Amino acid sequence: MSQEKIWFITGVSGGLGRSIAKHAALTGATVIGTLRKKEQIDDFSQLVPGKTYGVLLDVNEHADIKGVIDTAVLNFGRIDVLVNNAGYGLFGAVEEVSMEEARQQMETNFFGALAVTQAVLPLMRKQQGGHIVQISSQAGFRSAPGLGIYNASKFALEGFSEALALEAANLNIKVTIVEPGPFRTSWAGDSSKRAAEVIEDYSDVAGKLITTINSYSGDQPNDPEKGAKVIVEVVNSENPPLRLPLGPEAHEAIKNKLKSVAEDISHWESKAIKTGFAD
């Protein structure tokens, strides 16, 4: 596929989603971007005039997704790249988060992405090609105190995406899981939610990290414009990776977890593998 692809990106009102849309359009792609507010549509459509088109969609409204996808195909003929970017961060120790707060987090970050993916897959199967980009997080690979339910939503996203990569490979459908570290977006600020309950016993661990994350909102070390350029370059490459950590912090976090897992496995391996009937 040439760079004149048709991209469909969820959650383009700002942050990484908007940056990805801009840089994809600047490479010659046509970008359909979803927004939850009508007043945001014209602004996005003028981002790269003639190349970016805003559409109204809340990924939590699953019944609306197929109609929006069908309209995009009617207008542009195909969808070559899907980017599931819509989502938000939920902060709170595991005990602090209510079941309703947890369900809302999973609805957007997991079920929303799953619903859009399932809506696009029949089209990509028919085309015998496409690329699905899941915007996860370093938190989708490595957990942190105060982010347990957010971690769970991104772990779930990564789980089905790994399976999908195996299921769809022979159909020429590629999958890339993007795992950003701290980028200068509103994720840690206005776009995030805090569990309503706060338990003092967790203040020195979960609470401390949440305060730190909130304090650097708007001052994160990584540039979403640069991150978006890497993502677009990966999509336009011949052999895109399954996983794409973004930023030095994400690389360090993931390498540290891999090291920790390897150490755990090695320490208990001699006993843990002796589980057969003959042992």
Side-chain angles (χ1 to χ4, degrees):
M1 293 182 290
S2 72
Q3 292 185 352
E4 295 181 1
K5 298 172 182 175
I6 308 299
W7 290 53
F8 189 95
I9 306 176
T10 65
V12 296
S13 61
L16 194 56
R18 187 178 178 91
S19 295
I20 296 168
K22 183 177 79 172
H23 288 287
L26 291 175
T27 68
T30 295
V31 181
I32 303 115
T34 74
L35 303 130
R36 291 184 299 140
K37 299 178 181 178
K38 289 182 179 179
E39 58 266 27
Q40 297 171 325
I41 292 175
D42 287 343
D43 177 65
F44 178 76
S45 296
Q46 292 303 312
L47 183 62
V48 182
K51 286 293 184 179
T52 53
Y53 299 88
V55 296
L56 191 65
L57 179 67
D58 183 337
V59 298
N60 292 316
E61 301 296 333
H62 297 176
D64 296 338
I65 293 171
K66 185 178 184 301
V68 173
I69 296 291
D70 288 347
T71 300
V73 175
L74 181 65
N75 290 333
F76 300 101
R78 57 190 292 122
I79 293 175
D80 299 302
V81 183
L82 165 65
V83 181
N84 278 310
N85 175 71
Y88 69 94
L90 173 65
F91 300 153
V94 170
E95 187 182 349
E96 292 174 335
V97 176
S98 71
M99 293 301 292
E100 181 58 30
E101 289 168 332
R103 288 191 179 96
Q104 290 174 0
Q105 176 81 125
M106 295 300 293
E107 280 293 339
T108 300
N109 290 7
F110 172 67
F111 286 109
L114 176 61
V116 178
T117 299
Q118 289 182 332
V120 167
L121 279 169
L123 173 64
M124 290 186 173
R125 283 193 291 109
K126 184 178 179 180
Q127 295 171 177
Q128 285 288 291
H131 196 152
I132 297 172
V133 179
Q134 310 285 33
I135 304 300
S136 180
S137 168
Q138 67 179 32
F141 195 89
R142 187 268 292 139
S143 292
L147 292 172
I149 306 307
Y150 178 73
N151 290 137
S153 71
K154 292 300 188 179
F155 271 54
L157 174 68
E158 296 209 8
F160 92 76
S161 298
E162 280 190 30
L164 176 61
L166 299 171
E167 294 166 354
N170 66 334
L171 300 172
N172 195 32
I173 299 172
K174 300 176 176 65
V175 177
T176 296
I177 302 166
V178 181
E179 297 164 327
F183 276 75
R184 196 166 297 180
T185 70
S186 61
W187 178 86
D190 293 343
S191 294
S192 67
K193 295 184 180 180
R194 177 65 165 94
E197 183 177 9
V198 177
I199 299 173
E200 182 63 27
D201 285 345
Y202 296 114
S203 61
D204 289 340
V205 182
K208 185 176 180 180
L209 183 61
I210 292 167
T211 299
T212 298
I213 292 172
N214 289 151
S215 70
Y216 68 48
S217 180
D219 196 35
Q220 295 97 322
N222 294 292
D223 182 353
E225 297 290 311
K226 292 181 178 178
K229 287 181 180 179
V230 176
I231 293 168
V232 172
E233 183 176 351
V234 162
V235 169
N236 289 327
S237 68
E238 291 187 7
N239 296 299
L242 173 61
R243 276 195 162 80
L244 180 67
L246 276 184
E249 298 82 4
H251 279 259
E252 182 180 5
I254 289 171
K255 288 176 182 178
N256 286 343
K257 175 169 180 179
L258 291 172
K259 180 181 177 182
S260 174
V261 170
E263 289 172 351
D264 283 346
I265 291 172
S266 177
H267 184 76
W268 285 96
E269 183 175 7
S270 62
K271 295 181 183 294
I273 63 174
K274 295 179 179 178
T275 56
F277 286 105
D279 294 326

